[in-house]
Amino acid sequence: MQFLRNTVDKLKKPFLKGGKLERYEKGFQAIETFLFVPNHTTKHGAHVRDGIDLKRTMMIVVIALVPALLFGMYNIGYQHFSQVEGSDLSLIHLFGYGFWKVLPSIIVSYAVGLGIEFAFAIWRNHDVNEGYLVSGLLIPMIMPIDLPLWMLAISVVFAVVIGKEVFGGTGMNIFNPALLARAFAFFSYPNFMSGDKVWVSDAMTTDGMSGATVLGSLAQNITPSYSTMDMFLGLIPGSVGETSKLAIIIGALILIATGIGSWKIMLSGVIGAVVTVFAFNAVGLNELMNFSWYNHLMVGGFAFAIVFMATDPVSAAQTERGKWMYGFLVGFFTIMIRIFNPAYPEGAMLAILLMNAVAPTIDYYVVNSNIVKRKKRMKTNPLKTA
Amino acid sequence: MSKDIRIPKGLDIKLKGTAEKILSDLPRSEVYTIFPTDFHGITPKLLVKIGDKVQAGDALFFSKTNERVKFASPVSGTILDILRGEKRRILEIRISADAKDSFREFGAKDPLKMSSDEVKSHVSETGCFPYFIQRPYEIIVDPNDTPKAIFISSFSTAPLAAHDAYALSGQELAFQTGINVLTKLTSGKVHISVCGTDNSFFDKLDNVEIYRVFGKHPAGNVGVQINQIDPINKGERVWTIKPQDVALIGRLFNTGKYDATRVFALAGSEVNKPQYYKAIQGAQLGKLLTTQVKNTNSRFISGDVLTGKKIEKESSLGFYTNLISVIPEGNYYTFFGWMPFTQNQKLSLSRTFFNFLMPHKEYNLDTNLNGEERALVITGEMEQVFPMDIFPMQLLKAALAGDIDKMENLGIYEVAPEDFGLIDFSNTSKLEAQEIIREALDIMIKEVG
């Protein structure tokens, strides 16, 4: 490693203060600190520091996403060949088909997003934040597979510039950037983002087949033909990452075990959704209302969203008590939107974006209760009244 | 009769090199040094000049804002040098020590037979007020105040901390006298908290409320205990004092002599033989540290590794110091050091290292920052190590914004920088929480007073 270190040190010189490329220092630094955790020592405060940093945190989330991503690639192939071409192929073949379908969108997402992050870091002279390592992978995983790459690129630009940088960059954004990208695409290019034909690769150019998702069928009051096991394993049409509940649960366990994702948000989200489904089951006017609670958890993007999107610490509630409330309401609104608004068969995206906007208010009331307690204590303090 | 207090949150950082319970005398130094920089916010007004003869207990200087806060000479000798920094700020007062100390005679006194005012002026006259630290603001007290209570934490849970009961063995009587002095300084009670799992002479003290405290660090921090026992409200003042300084005041009343001898632990992974030493405040440490520490790439810390101050190898024993920690410097690069589940020699509050499976492992931590400073992204981690009824992240944000009303509402009066030591340690964004709180407290002193 010493050789690599020496090479980096040599390359670094023009980027240092007074060097020719001084302006691009932050960009070089981002790459350098990616290769090597720097030799910075503590200058103020505590002399020893926790081994964790934001890079490690974000990598944990990326690792947690990998099972869902790999299964998603396989499922793209599986859906395509079982519904469009109707041939029976080996696992490797199906995975290979999906891999080559998904890879370009991952590359485009990272290239465009990180490009903007680097540009802003150099322009505003701040460090490149690691947040986009996760957003960049999330975005292709929540889009339909056949979304043209240029649409994906524009959505990424919107999410990073309008969703993040205008608020001051990572840590300051109000909305989850990945969901913002999806919402932008959803409202700008509805033909490519919703309907029966977008969720299976090449279904749009094929006549006479239905690639409808489970929620899509339900919204039209048709009982879906997939079994609960299919939904659990993920052998259903949908966006890349959302279909396999098994893979998502593995990811959730990684996030919870490492302490990176908030189990409070995940658990309260599931409780919120289940309670709401029970309420609608009692009414039971149509297929969606009659759909059982465990099936509701299995379909659509809810599971993926509650594990990977609702737990984004920046846009979620930041107080521990607030997280319970925030998660519960995400679950509640997801089901509400599913059932009452058939134009949006999946409610998780809108539910989380809505709750992102409400989260600061939840925090405000949680923090305020502490303030009220402190003021009350001052008033009832015996020394003051004596 | 003691009450139990349980602190549910926190983190014990187990480091290699805890001091063994062996006590040696440090040989008498030629020069003793007082650092006015040990006293936050104090501008010294000198009472001596170079060449003056002083006795142990003679005042060297007083606070510009309050002449009742006097600072005494720890030894007898001649003023050797007064070192000044920028804007003629006094950095060091060096005293060339006599071979044997001659003490200024203050006369033995029984505090219980004195009035409050008499005790107060005696404490002021003998230069003992600097040992009292006021909350809010974590500064030396104003002798004209009468605090609502005085708090002592008789133990520390910080990494490598010195064991106070051991350091005070043989000082039991002096300690009780010291407690008696404190009872005369407050309108309320004197509270002492003892380590719940430890038995010592602290359990048998009179004239004091005793609390048994259980829990991980920062359970031993006096601020955490105050928050549990009797939280500070706006406008109130409480005083805190360290156990060794209580004994010093006790000795002063018992014998009439200002005896600044203290016991300190020399600990840390870089120390050959970690143990306790007895020395007088301001003693030179150069010889001891040179023989005990071989690694030239080490950091010397006066205090514990979370809240202490970096010192040079040739430095002297600080005014309040009862621990010198020595750990390796961390000025190295780590190839792909951020890769999850690698670098298992590092400690983390998160479970992104496999060593979370080994909760009793002792670590050899260095001063590497383990990453770069970032915007605040992760939530909920500060709360895990902050056992007060306060929202730490919200308070830090208010402090960063300099929002006085908000800080007041969120409990700035109850905290001191040391309470944020573990937040410094554990937060992913490498935020300098202690520094932010210190600056915020200084703003509050200026704006609210």
Side-chain angles (χ1 to χ4, degrees), chain A residues 1 4-5 9 12 26 29-30 32-61 63 127-131 133 168-172 254-263 311-321 323 363-364 366-384, chain B residues 11 13 15 148 159 187 227 230-236 299-301 304-310 327 329-343 346-353 356 365-381 383-384 389-391 393-394 397 406 408-412 414 421 424-432 434-435:
Chain A
M1 283 321 114
L4 186 61
R5 182 66 240 169
D9 280 337
K12 192 174 168 179
K26 292 294 177 189
Q29 223 176 54
E32 185 198 352
T33 60
F34 178 79
L35 288 173
F36 291 94
V37 171
N39 61 349
H40 301 168
T41 55
T42 50
K43 296 276 181 293
H44 327 264
H47 298 267
V48 294
R49 297 300 167 99
D50 196 296
I52 199 167
D53 68 345
L54 212 51
K55 283 193 182 69
R56 187 175 276 254
T57 308
M58 293 301 170
M59 275 314 288
I60 292 278
V61 186
I63 290 171
D127 292 323
V128 177
N129 266 289
E130 288 81 3
L133 286 179
T170 301
M172 318 290 180
I254 293 173
L255 291 181
I256 293 170
T258 50
I260 298 298
S262 167
W263 61 271
T311 52
D312 166 20
V314 176
S315 56
Q318 307 196 336
T319 54
E320 296 306 291
R321 255 195 297 157
K323 283 175 185 170
D363 284 336
Y364 173 82
V366 173
V367 173
N368 206 44
S369 73
N370 181 270
I371 293 173
V372 168
K373 195 157 76 179
R374 185 164 289 109
K375 284 189 170 158
K376 213 163 147 193
R377 188 178 79 203
M378 193 165 93
K379 273 190 199 136
T380 56
N381 175 31
L383 280 177
K384 279 272 156 180
Chain B
L11 174 71
I13 299 177
L15 295 185
K148 79 161 179 172
S187 58
N227 189 261
D230 186 7
I232 304 163
N233 296 305
K234 185 184 177 184
E236 293 176 346
R299 178 167 302 187
F300 301 92
I301 302 158
D304 68 71
V305 296
L306 291 178
T307 62
K309 206 158 77 176
K310 181 182 171 181
I327 56 171
E329 283 285 3
N331 46 349
Y332 55 83
Y333 292 92
T334 321
F335 185 62
F336 281 115
W338 45 268
M339 196 60 88
F341 306 113
T342 62
Q343 305 295 319
K346 296 192 192 259
L347 172 67
S348 177
L349 184 69
S350 75
R351 295 180 293 266
T352 59
F353 294 75
F356 79 87
L365 299 183
D366 55 50
T367 62
N368 194 289
L369 206 52
N370 296 325
E372 291 176 291
E373 192 168 338
R374 286 289 181 264
L376 273 176
V377 169
I378 307 301
T379 60
E381 59 180 2
E383 287 79 357
Q384 284 181 50
D389 186 17
I390 284 171
F391 283 97
M393 192 170 84
Q394 282 71 15
K397 283 185 175 172
K406 211 165 183 184
E408 208 173 274
N409 284 336
L410 289 170
I412 188 78
E414 300 168 46
D424 261 7
F425 170 79
S426 67
N427 82 82
T428 305
S429 303
K430 314 290 175 193
L431 189 80
E432 302 291 355
Q434 294 190 83
E435 197 179 44

Side-chain angles (χ1 to χ4, degrees), chain A residues 37-331:
Chain A
V37 171
N39 61 349
H40 301 168
T41 55
T42 50
K43 296 276 181 293
H44 327 264
H47 298 267
V48 294
R49 297 300 167 99
D50 196 296
I52 199 167
D53 68 345
L54 212 51
K55 283 193 182 69
R56 187 175 276 254
T57 308
M58 293 301 170
M59 275 314 288
I60 292 278
V61 186
V62 170
I63 290 171
L65 280 167
V66 165
L69 177 66
L70 294 181
F71 185 87
M73 288 172 170
Y74 164 75
N75 190 46
I76 294 300
Y78 175 82
Q79 294 300 331
H80 172 79
F81 286 101
S82 66
Q83 296 210 39
V84 179
E85 296 194 11
S87 52
D88 210 8
L89 288 165
S90 69
L91 188 146
I92 298 292
H93 200 110
L94 297 179
F95 178 81
Y97 178 86
F99 178 81
W100 290 112
K101 277 275 174 188
V102 178
L103 190 64
S105 48
I106 294 178
I107 292 172
V108 166
S109 164
Y110 272 130
V112 174
L114 286 177
I116 297 170
E117 291 267 358
F118 270 68
F120 267 89
I122 290 164
W123 176 38
R124 312 234 306 239
N125 197 30
H126 65 62
D127 292 323
V128 177
N129 266 289
E130 288 81 3
Y132 196 76
L133 286 179
V134 171
S135 309
L137 188 55
L138 278 173
I139 291 172
M141 288 177 76
I142 54 176
M143 297 289 195
I145 187 63
D146 281 343
L147 185 73
L149 292 176
W150 67 268
M151 291 183 189
L152 182 76
I154 291 177
S155 308
V156 168
V157 171
F158 177 83
V160 176
V161 177
I162 306 295
K164 212 155 106 176
E165 294 300 343
V166 294
F167 291 107
T170 301
M172 318 290 180
N173 46 307
I174 296 171
F175 297 104
N176 180 313
L179 277 179
L180 219 51
R182 190 178 193 281
F184 177 83
F186 186 83
F187 290 110
S188 308
Y189 314 110
N191 289 343
F192 291 88
M193 290 293 294
S194 54
D196 289 347
K197 301 258 173 173
V198 304
W199 303 107
V200 175
S201 175
D202 288 346
M204 273 193 277
T205 52
T206 312
D207 287 333
M209 66 145 290
S210 163
T213 60
V214 180
L215 282 171
S217 319
L218 285 168
Q220 296 165 26
N221 229 358
I222 302 165
T223 313
S225 54
Y226 299 99
S227 72
T228 304
M229 199 37 133
D230 282 345
M231 298 182 207
F232 178 72
L233 292 176
L235 298 169
I236 51 175
S239 57
V240 181
E242 73 175 21
T243 62
S244 173
K245 306 305 146 350
L246 179 65
I248 291 166
I249 289 171
I250 294 170
L253 290 178
I254 293 173
L255 291 181
I256 293 170
T258 50
I260 298 298
S262 167
W263 61 271
K264 290 172 189 166
I265 292 177
M266 297 184 207
L267 179 63
S268 60
V270 170
I271 293 173
V274 169
V275 167
T276 316
V277 173
F278 273 134
F280 282 116
N281 281 168
V283 182
L285 291 179
N286 57 25
E287 283 289 334
L288 262 170
M289 287 194 190
N290 277 323
F291 210 45
S292 68
W293 66 269
Y294 54 88
N295 279 335
H296 258 297
L297 296 182
M298 298 286 174
V299 301
F302 174 70
F304 188 82
I306 199 75
V307 170
F308 293 108
M309 318 282 232
T311 52
D312 166 20
V314 176
S315 56
Q318 307 196 336
T319 54
E320 296 306 291
R321 255 195 297 157
K323 283 175 185 170
W324 284 108
M325 227 175 304
Y326 168 85
F328 185 89
L329 289 173
V330 168

